[in-house]
Amino acid sequence: MFSLLLTLALALPAWAQDRQQIERQFQSWLEQTIWPEAQRTGVSRRTFDAAVEGVRLNWELPDLVVPGQKAQVPTRQRQAEFGAPSRYFSGVETDAAVGRQMAQQHARALAEAERKTGVPGRIVLGIWGRESAYGRAKIPHNAVQVLATKGFMSTRAAYFTDELLAALQILERGQAPAGTLRSSWAGALGQPQFMPSNVLEHAADGDGDRRADIWTSEADTIASIANYLARHGWQAGRDWGFEVVVPDTVSCALEGPDQGRRIADWAAAGVRRVSGKPFPDNEKNKDGFLMMPAGRHGPAFVVTPNFYVLKDYNMSDLYALYVGHVGDRIAYGMGDFEGRWRDPGRLMRSDIARMQQGLERLGHDVGGVDGLPGFKTRRSIGRWQEATGRTPTCFPDRAVIDALAR
């Protein structure tokens, strides 16, 4: 019986064996590592003590790695079901409807932000709605606890340590509301859901009170989102992209920000807008990029560099597409995409990861084995399909996985 209990104990993760010891290491880390660094950035002892009082490790956060242990993908993540791209757009109609109301209520602030930055108000509204439901979403976590936990033991510990130090500077400067600083599970703050370093760098005063309050001021939230995008390279006067029809003569493997062509060249190759309208004259001689988030199994787009500025806000093709699409629905009354999403069937992220490994063995760059089919994975599928005489779809399905995940 004793040997069985010992075997079970040894099988537990390291943090389950002695959480109290790890907690003590965490408290020492806060005092011996974080406090000196915070002090060097101008944080007072009073601010530091108030911020970390009662803070303990949050063991429920994702991607935790016990100090000294190797990072492992949790079983629940390996076995998670892959979400088809269509699911990502389930809230688009609501965000657009509320966004139209917000466009009227905050027309002055949106116009002023666009005048200063060149970022259209509809794009600001798309981000605001996605990030915090226009400030209505509940922000549940203690930001210092989240950032400290992930700074102490996560797969991106150095990044979150820097964000923790930035959060302490925010508290020192009195930029946040009184009380506990609240955040998402990733440590994002306020209505724009800025990481703390972005609050310090990009938060802006939109209402003229000489404060940048992204928690309670809608005007400051609008100004801050526009300021962020402008500083990340938003090109005034250009759109984010256009839904298109891609003929079979144009390979879906041409997708990606490193395979751009003049928009006029895409048009000459047979790529056309779903609306039937020509591409705008001011766009024709500028670069555009093919973007097919579900390969041949869904809508296709020619996007501009502004699309990739949206990805700087959240590194997801679907996020950037969602924001642009909501903005178009708000401003132009557009409906759903013309292209239809096809369900790839029930796939697990572990299936896609094994497929990615198979593609890597064949020499393809899939952008990392993560169980998520980003553009590098999608076009690698297409290149493999073309090379093996298959009809290129540039998206995983059961047949593709069975052929590659061996």
Side-chain angles (χ1 to χ4, degrees), residues 27-355:
Q27 296 299 327
S28 295
W29 175 78
L30 286 174
E31 182 61 34
Q32 298 173 14
T33 300
I34 298 304
W35 160 239
E37 289 296 322
Q39 187 177 34
R40 274 192 282 273
T41 65
V43 175
S44 68
R45 185 74 212 197
R46 179 179 179 180
T47 296
F48 180 82
D49 287 345
V52 302
E53 183 180 6
V55 167
R56 298 291 183 267
L57 289 169
N58 183 343
W59 296 90
E60 301 302 317
L61 297 174
D63 303 323
L64 299 185
V65 182
V66 174
Q69 301 291 320
K70 291 183 66 175
Q72 294 182 347
V73 180
T75 300
R76 66 178 183 272
Q77 183 176 351
R78 287 204 308 270
Q79 298 303 324
E81 186 172 357
F82 165 65
S86 58
R87 300 180 192 176
Y88 197 88
F89 295 86
S90 60
V92 70
E93 186 173 350
T94 298
D95 278 350
V98 178
R100 284 188 285 273
Q101 298 172 14
M102 291 295 178
Q104 294 179 347
Q105 291 178 26
H106 303 289
R108 183 175 179 178
L110 289 162
E112 181 64 11
E114 183 168 358
R115 184 189 68 80
K116 288 182 177 179
T117 66
V119 179
R122 73 182 194 277
I123 297 297
V124 172
L125 289 168
I127 289 179
W128 189 15
R130 182 65 186 179
E131 292 295 338
S132 67
Y134 304 102
R136 301 174 184 183
K138 183 179 179 180
I139 309 298
H141 297 289
N142 178 330
V144 172
Q145 181 189 48
V146 167
L147 295 167
T149 297
K150 295 176 82 69
F152 179 67
M153 56 175 202
S154 81
T155 54
R156 301 172 65 199
Y159 168 78
F160 284 105
T161 296
D162 288 343
E163 293 298 339
L164 171 61
L165 293 168
L168 293 170
Q169 292 175 64
I170 290 169
L171 292 170
E172 179 66 30
R173 297 177 187 183
Q175 284 184 257
T180 303
L181 191 63
R182 311 305 294 180
S183 77
S184 71
W185 65 264
L189 306 173
Q191 295 189 45
Q193 284 292 273
F194 277 178
M195 293 303 291
S197 60
N198 287 327
V199 175
L200 296 176
E201 187 171 357
H202 300 302
D205 174 18
D207 56 18
D209 66 355
R210 299 184 180 182
R211 297 179 64 246
D213 175 8
I214 62 168
W215 288 270
T216 63
S217 170
E218 290 86 357
D220 289 4
T221 294
I222 289 167
S224 298
I225 294 172
N227 187 48
Y228 178 100
L229 295 176
R231 291 192 179 183
H232 280 76
W234 184 273
Q235 296 181 12
R238 294 204 69 182
D239 211 319
W240 67 269
F242 309 90
E243 187 183 359
V244 298
V245 176
V246 180
D248 291 341
T249 53
V250 175
S251 172
C252 56
L254 292 174
E255 182 182 7
D258 53 351
Q259 299 191 101
R261 301 180 180 183
R262 289 189 319 142
I263 288 179
D265 294 334
W266 288 115
V271 176
R272 59 180 177 81
R273 293 177 68 182
V274 296
S275 65
K277 298 178 182 178
F279 291 102
D281 288 340
N282 70 309
E283 296 281 8
K284 289 180 180 177
N285 290 318
K286 297 175 181 176
D287 284 342
F289 311 89
L290 192 61
M291 208 281 289
M292 302 177 72
R296 295 282 182 183
H297 294 172
F301 306 86
V302 168
V303 299
T304 76
N306 285 340
F307 178 86
Y308 297 102
V309 175
L310 294 177
K311 281 192 66 175
D312 283 342
Y313 209 102
N314 181 313
M315 288 302 295
S316 162
D317 289 335
L318 295 179
Y319 176 90
L321 183 58
Y322 186 101
V323 167
H325 184 49
V326 168
D328 287 349
R329 293 176 78 121
I330 291 171
Y332 309 129
M334 295 175 64
D336 292 338
F337 297 128
E338 293 290 330
R340 290 293 173 258
W341 306 99
R342 280 182 276 168
D343 190 341
R346 190 169 186 268
L347 303 177
M348 309 302 285
R349 282 186 58 178
S350 54
D351 293 329
I352 296 173
R354 289 187 296 112
M355 178 205 67

